[in-house]
């Protein structure tokens, strides 16, 4: 079992649609969190992380990001493994643009799966 800190940077670009109008939004965030992994058998590894990134975008408003994720890897042999995982990011920002106040909340859930080759 391992547990330790991580430092993260994330650049995300969204296109938001509201009432038939769209707007592009780019967010940069920097921060960190805690990562952990356990190998219950020699073939299986389960990992996870939780962290918080502070918005550093120059376009207003820059969003803060809560990150949570988990992934499981299964090693078929010394060269190949398969993996499956899920990640959740919650973006939140508040700010003023001219005379209007803006609140942004975006929940992003992603699933991943695939094969990996080890050399």
């Amino acid at each position: 079992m391992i547990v330790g800190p991580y430092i993260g940077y994330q650049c995300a670009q969204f296109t938001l649609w509201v009432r038939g109008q769209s707007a592009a939004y780019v967010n940069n965030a920097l921060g960190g969190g805690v990562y952990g992994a356990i190998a219950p058998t020699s073939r299986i590894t389960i990992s996870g992380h939780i962290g918080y990134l502070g918005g550093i975008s120059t376009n207003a408003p820059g969003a803060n990001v809560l990150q949570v994720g988990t992934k499981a890897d299964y090693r078929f042999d010394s060269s190949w493994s398969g993996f499956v995982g899920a990640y959740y990011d919650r973006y939140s920002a508040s700010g003023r643009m001219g005379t209007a106040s803006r609140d942004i909340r975006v929940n992003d859930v992603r699933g991943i799966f695939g094969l990996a080759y080890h050399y």
Side-chain angles (χ1 to χ4, degrees), residues 40-53:
T41 72
S42 62
R43 293 185 177 263
I44 297 173
T45 303
I46 301 168
S47 60
H49 70 275
I50 184 167
Y52 188 79
L53 308 179

Side-chain angles (χ1 to χ4, degrees), residues 1 10 13-14 21 34-35 58-59 62 76 88 90 100 102 118:
M1 179 173 175
Q10 183 182 66
Q13 181 174 349
F14 301 99
Q21 295 182 348
V34 176
Y35 172 86
T58 56
N59 65 334
F76 300 113
Y88 169 75
R90 176 167 175 80
R102 300 281 191 248
H118 309 272

Side-chain angles (χ1 to χ4, degrees), residues 3 7 12 29-30 57 60 71 73 81 83 94 108 118:
V3 175
I7 296 172
L30 180 65
S57 291
K71 186 175 83 160
D73 296 89
S81 66
F83 59 89
S94 298
D108 177 38
H118 309 272

Side-chain angles (χ1 to χ4, degrees), residues 16-96:
L16 305 172
W17 287 275
V18 178
R19 297 186 183 124
Q21 295 182 348
S22 67
Y25 178 71
V26 177
N27 189 67
N28 292 288
L30 180 65
V34 176
Y35 172 86
I38 189 168
T41 72
S42 62
R43 293 185 177 263
I44 297 173
T45 303
I46 301 168
S47 60
H49 70 275
I50 184 167
Y52 188 79
L53 308 179
I56 58 172
S57 291
T58 56
N59 65 334
N64 299 321
V65 185
L66 170 66
Q67 297 182 317
V68 179
T70 187
K71 186 175 83 160
D73 296 89
Y74 180 81
R75 186 175 284 273
F76 300 113
D77 59 31
S78 62
S79 298
W80 291 94
S81 66
F83 59 89
V84 63
Y87 299 99
Y88 169 75
D89 290 348
R90 176 167 175 80
Y91 296 84
S92 59
S94 298
R96 296 195 63 79

